[in-house]
Amino acid sequence: MAVQKITRTEGEWRRLLSPEQYRILREHGTEPAFTGAYWNHKEPGIYRCAGCGLPLFSSEAKYDSGTGWPSFYAPIDPAHVETSDDYSLGMHRIEVHCAACGGHLGHVFPDGPPPTGLRYCINSAALVFEPTDQAP
Ligand code: FE
């Protein structure tokens, strides 16, 4: 099901987000590897968008990619993330953003594990973790 789009002014985002969240989500920033809250986080639960709260990833699809960023082989719902071409840094990468608020999350690469073979490499600062009794 398509998600409801959320539009806010840059001033509203600056008020709502921490400086680090704003830099990642609204300015396509990247946190240094092995520094974020969730790269080594293994509890069962839901990772929501730090911008708008949309559920983005389940702990069920999280795996240790060795990269120092939280990595998932699939989103919790394919309609909850969108992608676009990113040609920055002199290479072609696929950028991943929240389908509702457009916040930049990270990138997706074709070197992930089964069943998808994809690696969603996501900034911790773009996520807020919500614990659950079991993986959703
Ligand atoms: Fe969002």
Side-chain angles (χ1 to χ4, degrees):
M1 202 165 75
V3 301
Q4 185 80 32
K5 299 282 182 191
I6 294 166
T7 348
R8 293 190 187 282
T9 65
E10 290 314 298
E12 286 173 328
W13 285 124
R14 280 194 188 276
R15 279 200 299 280
L16 287 166
L17 302 174
S18 72
E20 178 69 350
Q21 288 170 334
Y22 184 88
R23 188 179 75 80
I24 307 279
L25 288 164
R26 307 315 307 178
E27 298 185 318
H28 287 217
T30 302
E31 69 199 10
F34 303 103
T35 64
Y38 301 134
W39 68 273
N40 199 25
H41 188 257
K42 293 171 179 159
E43 309 303 314
I46 298 171
Y47 293 85
R48 293 179 179 272
C49 176
C52 72
L54 187 71
L56 297 177
F57 298 99
S58 165
S59 59
E60 191 68 26
K62 194 173 189 292
Y63 72 100
D64 183 4
S65 65
T67 61
W69 289 282
S71 300
F72 306 86
Y73 61 71
I76 202 164
D77 183 318
H80 289 196
V81 298
E82 294 176 343
T83 58
S84 62
D85 289 311
D86 175 3
Y87 293 99
S88 65
L89 304 179
M91 54 184 153
H92 176 225
R93 292 177 295 167
I94 309 291
E95 182 268 350
V96 183
H97 55 270
C98 172
C101 74
H104 170 72
L105 305 172
H107 293 84
V108 59
F109 301 95
D111 59 10
T116 63
L118 296 175
R119 169 171 59 99
Y120 287 81
C121 189
I122 305 299
N123 290 286
S124 294
L127 302 171
V128 172
F129 179 74
E130 177 188 317
T132 54
D133 289 344
Q134 299 177 347

